[in-house]
Amino acid sequence: MEKVTVRFAPSPTGPLHIGGARSALFNYLEARHTGGRFIVRIEDTDLERSKREFEDEIIQSLKWLGLDWDEGIVVGGENGPYRQTERLEIYQQYVRKLLEEDQAYYCFCTEEELEKEREQQMAADGLVRYSGKCSHLSREEVQKRIAAGEKPAVRLRVPPGKQLEVHDYVRGDVRFDTDTMGDFIIVKNDGIPVYNFAVVLDDVLMGVTLVMRAEEHLSNTPRQLLIYQALGFPTPAFAHVSLILGSDHQKMSKRHGATSVMAYREMGYLPEAVFNFLALLGWSPEGEQEIMTQEEIIAQFDVNRVSKSPAVFDLNKLNYINQQHIKRLSLEEFKRRMRPYLENSEFSEDIKTLSEEKYSVLAQALKDRLVCLADVKDQARVFLRRQEPEKEAQELLAIPENQAMLKTFAEEFSAFDFQEAAEIKSFIKKFIKNHQLNAKNVYMPLRSALTGVTHGPDLPWLILFWDKQETLDRIWTALE
Ligand code: GLU
């Protein structure tokens, strides 16, 4: 059987968004699952809006997500170049062929003329399509006008009354009618081919067998089918993946939160979590298990299980998935990933001078508490700074029984030596038992004295982090 070849073809007109990343991911998964080929190429024919910075950012985002590709931009390959603006010569050859075969023709209509035509059609039957005004110009006339300096566009002749049909993995058999289409432009009058034309040639010349992309491109598909037919190329399979909606079921936009992949990186989402989350936006595994590694997702991905209904971007779900992936990290890996988020915070100096041992304690204390790595900026505060007791803590510290308990605790604690959090935990337990106290009546005042607040990371970790002297110092200071 023919090897699957899929591609991701972003336009570098902005950062990589969640929707684009999902398209890239599904293509990647299809290629890796089937042992096929994944191509990444750049659709930069929108000269005004395309920027190299965006291209770089898109590539960086794909790499961050853990995607790699077998052919295309950066990695090269035998079907390059992989930027459309560097392929203009290639497109030209095929335009010439279509013109020679009279499957396409030059169109000299100006923007104003076309606008007028549109207005008239709107007023008449509301069906807007090119009238075909230039479709009958003689060769001589065309040559004369070009020689006189006019810059024509090129239009494809669209056969009227034709039914186009494709199979779409997501949408089933889709039919289109050519009657309402009108001859459409394939090369603009600045010589730059339009997306529909360039994309078909790229897909054909790069051997793409499955075009998987966002649903919004479904409406481009009939034009692309006509181009395949005019050029005499077989059509690939298609899969138009449904939209991503925000929590209010409107099309996902900035209103719903960050839309660029890099923003999620900055917020401290793990790439493997974003990978996992995006995979579930429109695809579902057969089993119940949703927290999956990259390998597990690749093993199970099936384009036939991509859903037709729109996916909803649920931030709570992403948070949950992220938390689960943080928990799965080894301590060493977690320490490595957490570090930059601390280094870029108000604690950067503290982190530089912190011993490896202390940093490990901090990491162990926080690993199961973080939703995002960037949360470490808030969670680390209690370890690294002292703070005046809050109201609730003050109230607890003002109670005479609590003060007496803390004094006794401090005295006994000063004679206690420890190396591990577990030892501290059992010390506190024993203290509670020996003095026949209620656990809550020990933990709450102790935490208030040590941290100034009534909730936070486990006390044994905090105490281990500060060590004996600092712990005692905090208790005595609170008692004063
Ligand atoms: N450049 C298009 C986009 O960014 C992709 C078109 C396609 O995949 O055919 O949406």
Side-chain angles (χ1 to χ4, degrees):
M1 222 177 89
E2 190 187 17
K3 238 185 174 187
V4 170
T5 298
V6 286
R7 85 305 192 273
F8 177 56
S11 306
T13 53
L16 182 66
H17 282 176
I18 291 297
R22 198 255 320 243
S23 295
L25 177 64
F26 280 17
N27 279 291
Y28 166 84
L29 291 172
E30 176 65 6
R32 294 295 171 261
H33 177 79
T34 60
R37 201 156 53 103
F38 179 41
I39 303 173
V40 174
R41 57 170 202 245
I42 301 294
E43 301 207 322
D44 59 348
T45 50
D46 184 339
L47 304 182
E48 239 159 67
R49 292 171 57 225
S50 295
K51 298 255 168 351
R52 206 45 88 83
E53 300 104 83
F54 292 136
E55 181 185 310
D56 294 342
E57 184 178 335
I58 291 168
I59 292 166
Q60 241 195 318
S61 303
L62 293 173
K63 287 188 175 164
W64 177 76
L65 268 177
L67 307 193
D68 57 5
W69 47 99
D70 312 295
E71 185 183 328
I73 198 76
V74 186
V75 301
E78 56 188 18
N79 303 301
Y82 294 96
R83 256 182 225 110
Q84 286 184 331
T85 50
E86 292 164 14
R87 299 172 62 77
L88 298 179
E89 267 301 310
I90 300 174
Y91 306 133
Q92 267 309 316
Q93 291 168 32
Y94 290 91
V95 176
R96 277 199 293 273
K97 179 169 178 278
L98 290 175
L99 284 165
E100 273 158 26
E101 295 168 354
D102 198 33
Q103 296 207 69
Y105 60 87
Y106 285 111
C107 172
F108 295 88
C109 293
T110 62
E111 204 29 65
E112 296 77 57
E113 286 171 307
L114 292 172
E115 185 53 49
K116 216 157 134 200
E117 197 176 288
R118 274 195 286 269
E119 275 166 24
Q120 282 165 357
Q121 288 175 343
M122 281 305 280
D125 57 4
L127 271 181
V128 177
R129 59 186 176 279
Y130 182 58
S131 65
K133 191 173 158 201
C134 292
S135 64
H136 307 297
L137 296 180
S138 67
R139 265 173 205 265
E140 294 71 42
E141 162 120 42
V142 166
Q143 251 139 39
K144 217 165 71 196
R145 291 177 74 165
I146 291 176
E150 278 190 65
K151 295 247 177 298
V154 179
R155 283 184 191 271
L156 189 79
R157 284 191 200 280
V158 174
K162 210 171 161 172
Q163 285 273 320
L164 302 169
E165 219 182 278
V166 268
H167 182 72
D168 190 295
Y169 274 102
V170 183
R171 326 214 88 78
D173 291 328
V174 192
R175 278 176 203 87
F176 307 95
D177 203 324
T178 60
D179 268 350
T180 52
M181 269 160 67
D183 299 343
F184 59 88
I185 291 181
I186 54 172
V187 181
K188 290 177 288 175
N189 62 4
D190 59 4
I192 305 289
V194 301
Y195 152 70
N196 279 321
F197 188 66
V199 76
V200 166
L201 277 167
D202 291 349
D203 284 338
V204 165
L205 299 173
M206 296 177 192
V208 170
T209 60
L210 168 63
V211 170
M212 182 155 33
R213 58 189 172 193
E215 182 185 10
E216 62 197 3
H217 288 294
L218 186 63
S219 59
N220 289 317
T221 308
R223 289 178 179 206
Q224 293 173 16
L225 293 175
L226 286 168
I227 295 167
Y228 281 102
Q229 290 180 359
L231 292 166
F233 294 129
T235 48
F238 289 89
H240 285 94
V241 184
S242 295
L243 282 179
I244 299 175
L245 305 180
S247 46
D248 57 358
H249 290 244
Q250 301 293 311
K251 191 179 173 199
M252 170 94 182
S253 73
K254 285 225 172 78
R255 277 184 304 120
H256 300 102
T259 53
S260 81
V261 170
M262 280 304 169
Y264 287 90
R265 174 191 181 158
E266 269 153 43
M267 288 185 275
Y269 288 92
L270 303 185
E272 53 267 59
V274 178
F275 185 111
N276 189 166
F277 174 71
L278 288 177
L280 299 174
L281 281 180
W283 169 76
S284 53
E286 260 180 69
E288 293 286 299
Q289 178 60 13
E290 287 209 309
I291 305 297
M292 301 165 89
T293 63
Q294 181 160 348
E295 291 70 33
E296 287 165 342
I297 296 169
I298 290 173
Q300 291 195 39
F301 185 79
D302 179 357
V303 64
N304 291 300
R305 289 185 61 87
V306 173
S307 165
K308 198 174 171 175
S309 30
V312 177
F313 187 96
D314 178 355
L315 192 61
N316 291 329
K317 183 165 178 178
L318 173 59
N319 285 339
Y320 172 73
I321 293 177
N322 203 51
Q323 235 172 340
Q324 298 307 313
H325 279 278
I326 291 179
K327 283 188 183 167
R328 283 178 166 206
L329 294 177
S330 69
L331 181 63
E332 283 315 304
E333 186 59 18
F334 175 68
K335 279 160 65 182
R336 197 177 66 73
R337 305 245 201 142
M338 175 173 84
R339 192 175 276 279
Y341 292 89
L342 282 169
E343 280 172 352
N344 289 319
S345 74
E346 59 181 298
F347 306 117
S348 60
E349 282 308 311
D350 304 73
I351 291 310
K352 269 184 220 149
T353 52
L354 205 60
S355 70
E356 187 52 31
E357 205 188 350
K358 283 284 162 77
Y359 182 63
S360 270
V361 173
L362 182 65
Q364 288 173 83
L366 295 183
K367 190 161 176 274
D368 287 353
R369 295 182 57 84
L370 300 184
V371 173
C372 288
L373 290 177
D375 293 348
V376 71
K377 293 176 191 172
D378 296 322
Q379 298 265 353
R381 177 165 290 106
V382 62
F383 289 84
L384 298 164
R385 296 283 181 275
R386 288 201 190 192
Q387 89 171 48
E388 285 294 310
E390 283 178 359
K391 191 161 167 283
E392 206 186 335
Q394 269 176 23
E395 283 166 8
L396 284 171
L397 292 171
I399 298 171
E401 284 92 330
N402 288 345
Q403 293 180 354
M405 181 278 290
L406 285 170
K407 259 187 215 136
T408 317
F409 183 89
E411 279 158 18
E412 292 184 19
F413 184 75
S414 63
F416 165 60
D417 288 313
F418 54 86
Q419 240 127 53
E420 281 171 38
E423 293 170 318
I424 302 168
K425 195 170 168 186
S426 55
F427 174 86
I428 301 176
K429 271 196 177 152
K430 262 189 224 139
F431 178 82
I432 293 168
K433 209 171 149 213
N434 292 346
H435 295 275
Q436 295 177 333
L437 293 163
N438 177 323
K440 196 175 161 229
N441 293 340
V442 173
Y443 278 108
M444 292 283 273
L446 185 56
R447 180 181 289 285
S448 301
L450 289 172
T451 68
V453 290
T454 50
H455 51 261
D458 285 349
L459 281 180
W461 287 116
L462 286 161
I463 293 171
L464 184 63
F465 183 82
W466 293 321
D467 236 330
K468 195 195 274 184
Q469 210 40 57
E470 161 103 22
T471 303
L472 287 172
D473 198 44
R474 284 179 180 239
I475 299 177
W476 291 124
T477 309
L479 285 173
E480 278 158 24

Short mmCIF file of all heavy atoms in Angstrom, two decimals, residues 7-13 41-43 84 195 199 203 211-214 216-217 220 224, ligand 1:
data_model
loop_
_atom_site.label_atom_id
_atom_site.label_comp_id
_atom_site.label_asym_id
_atom_site.label_seq_id
_atom_site.Cartn_x
_atom_site.Cartn_y
_atom_site.Cartn_z
N ARG A 7 0.81 16.71 5.50
CA ARG A 7 1.60 17.94 5.63
C ARG A 7 0.89 18.94 6.51
O ARG A 7 -0.32 18.91 6.70
CB ARG A 7 1.89 18.52 4.25
CG ARG A 7 0.83 19.43 3.63
CD ARG A 7 -0.54 18.86 3.50
NE ARG A 7 -1.44 19.62 2.68
CZ ARG A 7 -2.22 20.63 3.09
NH1 ARG A 7 -2.21 21.03 4.34
NH2 ARG A 7 -3.05 21.24 2.26
N PHE A 8 1.68 19.87 7.04
CA PHE A 8 1.14 21.04 7.72
C PHE A 8 1.73 22.23 6.98
O PHE A 8 2.93 22.28 6.74
CB PHE A 8 1.57 21.03 9.20
CG PHE A 8 1.11 22.24 9.95
CD1 PHE A 8 -0.24 22.58 9.99
CD2 PHE A 8 2.02 23.05 10.63
CE1 PHE A 8 -0.68 23.71 10.69
CE2 PHE A 8 1.59 24.16 11.34
CZ PHE A 8 0.24 24.50 11.37
N ALA A 9 0.83 23.16 6.60
CA ALA A 9 1.27 24.25 5.72
C ALA A 9 0.84 25.60 6.28
O ALA A 9 -0.04 26.25 5.73
CB ALA A 9 0.68 24.03 4.33
N PRO A 10 1.45 26.02 7.38
CA PRO A 10 1.00 27.27 8.00
C PRO A 10 1.36 28.51 7.18
O PRO A 10 2.33 28.50 6.43
CB PRO A 10 1.76 27.29 9.32
CG PRO A 10 3.01 26.52 9.04
CD PRO A 10 2.61 25.44 8.09
N SER A 11 0.52 29.53 7.33
CA SER A 11 0.85 30.84 6.77
C SER A 11 1.53 31.63 7.89
O SER A 11 0.97 31.74 8.98
CB SER A 11 -0.43 31.56 6.35
OG SER A 11 -1.17 30.74 5.48
N PRO A 12 2.71 32.17 7.63
CA PRO A 12 3.43 32.86 8.71
C PRO A 12 2.93 34.29 8.92
O PRO A 12 3.66 35.25 8.77
CB PRO A 12 4.88 32.83 8.22
CG PRO A 12 4.76 32.84 6.74
CD PRO A 12 3.49 32.12 6.39
N THR A 13 1.65 34.39 9.23
CA THR A 13 1.05 35.72 9.40
C THR A 13 0.74 36.00 10.85
O THR A 13 0.07 36.97 11.17
CB THR A 13 -0.24 35.83 8.56
OG1 THR A 13 -1.09 34.74 8.91
CG2 THR A 13 0.05 35.77 7.07
N ARG A 41 5.63 22.88 5.49
CA ARG A 41 6.08 23.88 4.50
C ARG A 41 5.34 25.19 4.77
O ARG A 41 4.35 25.22 5.51
CB ARG A 41 5.81 23.36 3.08
CG ARG A 41 4.36 23.02 2.88
CD ARG A 41 4.05 22.73 1.42
NE ARG A 41 2.66 22.93 1.22
CZ ARG A 41 1.79 21.96 0.88
NH1 ARG A 41 2.21 20.74 0.69
NH2 ARG A 41 0.52 22.25 0.73
N ILE A 42 5.82 26.24 4.18
CA ILE A 42 5.35 27.57 4.55
C ILE A 42 4.57 28.22 3.41
O ILE A 42 5.07 28.31 2.29
CB ILE A 42 6.57 28.46 4.94
CG1 ILE A 42 7.35 27.82 6.10
CG2 ILE A 42 6.15 29.87 5.26
CD1 ILE A 42 6.62 27.75 7.42
N GLU A 43 3.37 28.65 3.72
CA GLU A 43 2.53 29.31 2.71
C GLU A 43 2.60 30.83 2.88
O GLU A 43 1.79 31.43 3.58
CB GLU A 43 1.08 28.83 2.85
CG GLU A 43 0.98 27.33 2.69
CD GLU A 43 -0.37 26.85 2.18
OE1 GLU A 43 -1.39 27.42 2.58
OE2 GLU A 43 -0.38 25.90 1.38
N GLN A 84 6.58 28.98 -0.28
CA GLN A 84 5.92 29.21 -1.57
C GLN A 84 6.54 30.33 -2.37
O GLN A 84 6.62 30.25 -3.59
CB GLN A 84 4.42 29.45 -1.34
CG GLN A 84 3.71 28.15 -0.98
CD GLN A 84 2.22 28.29 -0.83
OE1 GLN A 84 1.74 29.37 -0.47
NE2 GLN A 84 1.48 27.23 -1.06
N TYR A 195 -3.60 31.10 -3.02
CA TYR A 195 -3.45 29.94 -2.14
C TYR A 195 -3.96 28.65 -2.78
O TYR A 195 -3.28 27.62 -2.80
CB TYR A 195 -4.17 30.22 -0.80
CG TYR A 195 -4.67 28.98 -0.11
CD1 TYR A 195 -3.78 28.07 0.46
CD2 TYR A 195 -6.04 28.68 -0.07
CE1 TYR A 195 -4.24 26.91 1.07
CE2 TYR A 195 -6.50 27.52 0.53
CZ TYR A 195 -5.60 26.63 1.09
OH TYR A 195 -6.05 25.49 1.67
N VAL A 199 -1.35 25.66 -3.29
CA VAL A 199 -1.46 24.53 -2.35
C VAL A 199 -1.63 23.22 -3.11
O VAL A 199 -1.05 22.19 -2.75
CB VAL A 199 -2.61 24.77 -1.33
CG1 VAL A 199 -3.98 24.54 -1.94
CG2 VAL A 199 -2.44 23.86 -0.11
N ASP A 203 0.94 20.15 -2.91
CA ASP A 203 0.49 18.83 -2.46
C ASP A 203 0.80 17.76 -3.51
O ASP A 203 1.27 16.67 -3.18
CB ASP A 203 -1.02 18.85 -2.15
CG ASP A 203 -1.30 19.55 -0.81
OD1 ASP A 203 -0.37 19.61 0.03
OD2 ASP A 203 -2.42 20.03 -0.60
N VAL A 211 -4.88 15.23 2.81
CA VAL A 211 -4.88 16.64 3.20
C VAL A 211 -5.77 16.77 4.43
O VAL A 211 -6.98 16.65 4.34
CB VAL A 211 -5.42 17.52 2.05
CG1 VAL A 211 -5.64 18.95 2.53
CG2 VAL A 211 -4.45 17.50 0.87
N MET A 212 -5.12 16.96 5.56
CA MET A 212 -5.89 17.10 6.81
C MET A 212 -5.68 18.52 7.31
O MET A 212 -4.56 18.97 7.50
CB MET A 212 -5.40 16.09 7.84
CG MET A 212 -6.20 16.17 9.12
SD MET A 212 -6.22 14.64 10.11
CE MET A 212 -4.66 13.87 9.86
N ARG A 213 -6.78 19.24 7.47
CA ARG A 213 -6.67 20.65 7.84
C ARG A 213 -7.98 21.10 8.48
O ARG A 213 -8.91 20.31 8.63
CB ARG A 213 -6.36 21.50 6.61
CG ARG A 213 -7.41 21.34 5.54
CD ARG A 213 -7.00 22.01 4.23
NE ARG A 213 -7.93 21.69 3.16
CZ ARG A 213 -7.72 21.91 1.88
NH1 ARG A 213 -6.58 22.45 1.49
NH2 ARG A 213 -8.63 21.60 0.98
N ALA A 214 -8.02 22.40 8.81
CA ALA A 214 -9.18 22.92 9.52
C ALA A 214 -10.40 22.97 8.61
O ALA A 214 -10.30 23.16 7.40
CB ALA A 214 -8.88 24.31 10.06
N GLU A 216 -12.44 25.19 8.13
CA GLU A 216 -12.64 26.43 7.36
C GLU A 216 -12.13 26.32 5.92
O GLU A 216 -12.50 27.11 5.07
CB GLU A 216 -12.00 27.61 8.07
CG GLU A 216 -10.49 27.47 8.21
CD GLU A 216 -9.90 28.40 9.26
OE1 GLU A 216 -10.66 29.12 9.91
OE2 GLU A 216 -8.67 28.38 9.42
N HIS A 217 -11.30 25.32 5.67
CA HIS A 217 -10.79 25.16 4.30
C HIS A 217 -11.68 24.27 3.43
O HIS A 217 -11.40 24.09 2.24
CB HIS A 217 -9.36 24.60 4.32
CG HIS A 217 -8.35 25.63 4.77
ND1 HIS A 217 -8.07 26.75 4.04
CD2 HIS A 217 -7.60 25.71 5.89
CE1 HIS A 217 -7.17 27.48 4.69
NE2 HIS A 217 -6.88 26.87 5.81
N ASN A 220 -12.76 25.85 0.34
CA ASN A 220 -11.74 25.99 -0.72
C ASN A 220 -11.60 24.72 -1.54
O ASN A 220 -11.03 24.75 -2.64
CB ASN A 220 -10.37 26.29 -0.09
CG ASN A 220 -10.31 27.69 0.50
OD1 ASN A 220 -10.79 28.64 -0.11
ND2 ASN A 220 -9.73 27.81 1.68
N GLN A 224 -10.01 23.69 -5.39
CA GLN A 224 -8.78 22.88 -5.47
C GLN A 224 -9.03 21.62 -6.30
O GLN A 224 -8.18 21.22 -7.09
CB GLN A 224 -8.28 22.55 -4.05
CG GLN A 224 -7.81 23.82 -3.34
CD GLN A 224 -7.45 23.62 -1.88
OE1 GLN A 224 -7.26 22.50 -1.42
NE2 GLN A 224 -7.35 24.72 -1.14
N1 GLU B 1 -2.02 28.05 4.94
C1 GLU B 1 -3.25 27.54 5.35
C2 GLU B 1 -3.55 27.96 6.77
O1 GLU B 1 -2.70 28.48 7.42
C3 GLU B 1 -3.30 26.04 5.29
C4 GLU B 1 -4.03 25.58 4.12
C5 GLU B 1 -4.06 24.10 3.93
O2 GLU B 1 -3.71 23.36 4.85
O3 GLU B 1 -4.44 23.69 2.85
O4 GLU B 1 -4.64 27.83 7.24
#
